[in-house]
Amino acid sequence: MSPVPRTLAARFARAVGRCAGRGALVLASAWLAGCAAPAGPPPLPGERAGFAVRLLPADRGQHLQVLERAERAAPARYRVIVVPGSGCAGMGPVAARYFAGLLHAQLLVLHKPWMDADAATAPGDCSADFVRADALGAWRDHARAALRADAAARAGTPPLPQLLVGISEGAELLPALTPEVPHLAGLVLLGASGLDPRDAGALQAQRHGALARWQALGLAQAGAWPDGRVLEGRSLRYWRDLWHWPLAGPLSTGPWPLLQVWGADDALVPAEAYARFADRARTRAAPYCARSLAGADHGLQGPDQDGVQQVWAWLEQWARAPLAGWCAAVPP
């Protein structure tokens, strides 16, 4: 019999499964991590398949690493800013194939200041420094500062419509980042329920038989223990941010077009979580497109499909005829 995982993070990470060699980067929501990227990437400064690694100023004098790429095919029609999911593996080693379908898009991929864009660290091997630093509030503040600097650096250049893409946990930051993105044309959620992370986490815990431990975390984060104490693989500072993080409300009432895509066979996030948010978001004043991909997992991968590339194809189609509306390029 296999050993019982010692943390909720370990238990839920096992539910994600393998990347199965498809080149997919499966990034789980909230405190969960995904498949490790291949080992052996070059150190900074690096460049691969058109992606360059550079630094942007972050909050409190820190810096974060970003991957940047020009459009693969002329003309440049739009720009995509990506907020990856949780864990401590960077997107550098998989970026070329993960973003291959974005042909006419310029790309900017953010990484937390306490991680390396080229890291191939497995989910269970995040350093103690990473665990101490990682928290949604800090990540939000760093990302805001970086996007503010990015916008200032681009001032005076020909404007392009910009999209904010959140992968799993990354979607939790999107509403807070919108003021820092000029010419924002919409938000894209990949493998993210859209619910407040506390509510989504409760549904995940219930699905995986860990509801009692989730409830114990709720009591602990409301208690008097210091922020630095580590429970279930994360600091109490992380859990306290997560427990009070608003997401469903800002996404439901925001003025931006919203595209949400998830896998119908997601082994991590319950279908009920996606359904709850979809019901709520259908009353949005701005366009909302919800698409479930049959046979796809949390990373939008299926036996005969790469759902991430399907999403990019939809964005490419939208960019060719943006006046037709956000949902016109995304068939039901």
Side-chain angles (χ1 to χ4, degrees), residues 181-317:
V181 181
H183 313 292
L184 181 63
L187 309 185
V188 181
L189 278 62
L190 303 183
S193 73
L195 296 179
D196 291 355
R198 177 180 61 185
D199 297 332
L203 291 173
Q204 290 172 251
Q206 184 174 20
R207 180 180 189 181
H208 295 286
L211 186 57
R213 292 167 71 174
W214 181 260
Q215 292 168 338
L217 268 179
L219 294 175
Q221 65 82 30
W225 281 337
D227 282 349
R229 179 153 184 162
V230 175
L231 292 176
E232 300 288 0
R234 296 285 187 168
S235 71
L236 275 179
R237 179 189 179 199
Y238 181 93
W239 294 121
R240 285 166 176 152
D241 277 3
L242 182 147
W243 234 259
H244 302 284
W245 197 263
L247 182 62
L251 285 178
S252 298
T253 59
W256 341 273
L258 178 62
L259 170 62
Q260 182 183 27
V261 185
W262 67 92
D265 291 349
D266 191 333
L268 184 65
V269 181
E272 180 183 355
Y274 292 116
R276 283 190 188 182
F277 179 74
D279 286 343
R280 178 171 182 170
R282 286 191 179 96
T283 63
R284 297 178 90 242
Y288 171 59
C289 313
R291 299 294 181 262
S292 175
L293 301 180
D297 61 16
H298 184 71
L300 308 187
Q301 304 301 302
D304 302 309
Q305 68 175 323
D306 181 343
V308 173
Q309 303 312 312
Q310 176 62 74
V311 175
W312 303 155
W314 289 335
L315 298 188
E316 287 284 305
Q317 185 173 339

Side-chain angles (χ1 to χ4, degrees), residues 20-296:
R22 290 188 294 267
L25 183 65
V26 181
L27 293 171
S29 61
W31 66 99
L32 313 175
C35 299
L44 272 172
E47 187 167 350
R48 68 192 64 73
F51 280 91
V53 183
R54 68 182 180 95
L55 298 179
L56 281 178
D59 192 41
R60 299 177 182 271
Q62 298 190 56
H63 289 79
L64 57 81
Q65 294 182 21
V66 299
L67 295 172
E68 196 165 35
R69 192 206 73 186
E71 66 277 8
R72 295 183 64 200
R77 294 191 171 105
Y78 62 115
R79 190 166 185 252
V80 174
I81 299 172
V82 180
V83 186
S86 64
C88 45
M91 294 201 75
V94 299
R97 50 189 192 272
Y98 191 89
F99 298 110
L102 289 171
L103 301 178
H104 294 273
Q106 298 176 357
L107 265 167
L108 184 74
V109 184
L110 306 181
H111 290 86
K112 299 173 183 179
W114 43 90
M115 66 183 292
D116 189 327
D118 284 330
T121 312
D125 296 334
C126 296
S127 69
D129 287 342
F130 177 91
V131 173
R132 278 193 295 268
D134 194 28
L136 287 171
W139 181 204
R140 174 202 59 206
D141 294 344
H142 290 305
R144 279 175 171 169
L147 290 179
R148 200 172 300 130
D150 173 70
R154 290 177 57 81
T157 63
L160 287 173
Q162 300 198 90
L163 302 178
L164 269 173
V165 175
I167 304 172
S168 203
E169 181 200 61
E172 294 167 8
L173 267 65
L174 296 193
L177 301 183
T178 57
E180 311 303 338
V181 181
H183 313 292
L184 181 63
L187 309 185
V188 181
L189 278 62
L190 303 183
S193 73
L195 296 179
D196 291 355
R198 177 180 61 185
D199 297 332
L203 291 173
Q204 290 172 251
Q206 184 174 20
R207 180 180 189 181
H208 295 286
L211 186 57
R213 292 167 71 174
W214 181 260
Q215 292 168 338
L217 268 179
L219 294 175
Q221 65 82 30
W225 281 337
D227 282 349
R229 179 153 184 162
V230 175
L231 292 176
E232 300 288 0
R234 296 285 187 168
S235 71
L236 275 179
R237 179 189 179 199
Y238 181 93
W239 294 121
R240 285 166 176 152
D241 277 3
L242 182 147
W243 234 259
H244 302 284
W245 197 263
L247 182 62
L251 285 178
S252 298
T253 59
W256 341 273
L258 178 62
L259 170 62
Q260 182 183 27
V261 185
W262 67 92
D265 291 349
D266 191 333
L268 184 65
V269 181
E272 180 183 355
Y274 292 116
R276 283 190 188 182
F277 179 74
D279 286 343
R280 178 171 182 170
R282 286 191 179 96
T283 63
R284 297 178 90 242
Y288 171 59
C289 313
R291 299 294 181 262
S292 175
L293 301 180

